[in-house]
Amino acid sequence: QVQLVESGGGVVQAGGSLRLSCAASGRTFSMYGMGWFRQAPGKEREFVAAIRWSGGNSYYADSVKGRFTISRDNAKNTVYLQMNSLKPEDTAVYYCAAGSRRGYSYSDYVTSSAYDNWGQGTQVTVSS
């Protein structure tokens, strides 16, 4: 088990940037694949980005590709989501998640069921 705490959310104008952080407790953080999901009001939770346990591969939803970057620092037990060129449709609660899958396929990381541990979420609001 790993406990996750997100931070870095806030209100930003369209075109701006934010960096989300997700701090994990536990000594086994480096063994987990990490993902970011988001949920807008009235919508289902959707995949945003993921990174393998080693940090060598990352995966993105088409809607954020080229604008968002996921990274991790295993020495700090932290995963990041750098969000640039933000749009009003990026407004949502953003959740980080940890899972034990170690595959190389996009499909290994895109579904909620691939993750066993979730943070409480951080609100991101993009104004037009």
Side-chain angles (χ1 to χ4, degrees):
Q1 287 286 343
V2 61
Q3 284 73 49
L4 305 171
V5 179
E6 302 98 334
S7 62
V11 180
V12 63
Q13 288 189 332
S17 298
L18 281 175
R19 188 175 82 154
L20 305 183
S21 299
C22 175
S25 64
R27 295 178 294 175
T28 59
F29 171 77
S30 62
M31 298 175 62
Y32 287 91
M34 299 297 297
W36 286 96
F37 287 72
R38 65 188 182 187
Q39 187 166 18
K43 295 188 176 182
E44 294 186 354
R45 187 173 299 187
E46 65 174 1
F47 171 76
V48 175
I51 188 166
R52 289 189 74 241
W53 64 275
S54 64
N57 299 80
S58 54
Y59 310 88
Y60 298 92
D62 287 342
S63 59
V64 306
K65 200 172 294 183
R67 299 188 298 123
F68 290 11
T69 302
I70 188 171
S71 62
R72 67 188 297 161
D73 185 338
N74 286 345
K76 295 183 178 180
N77 279 13
T78 303
V79 63
Y80 305 96
L81 185 68
Q82 178 67 44
M83 306 186 295
N84 298 329
S85 302
L86 283 161
K87 304 175 181 180
E89 51 263 44
D90 294 318
T91 295
V93 177
Y94 283 71
Y95 299 90
C96 76
S100 56
R101 294 190 182 183
R102 293 183 163 229
Y104 287 89
S105 298
Y106 178 86
S107 60
D108 289 322
Y109 300 95
V110 71
T111 59
S112 299
S113 60
Y115 302 88
D116 307 304
N117 304 276
W118 293 82
Q120 82 290 348
T122 186
Q123 176 70 47
V124 171
T125 302
V126 184
S127 61
S128 57

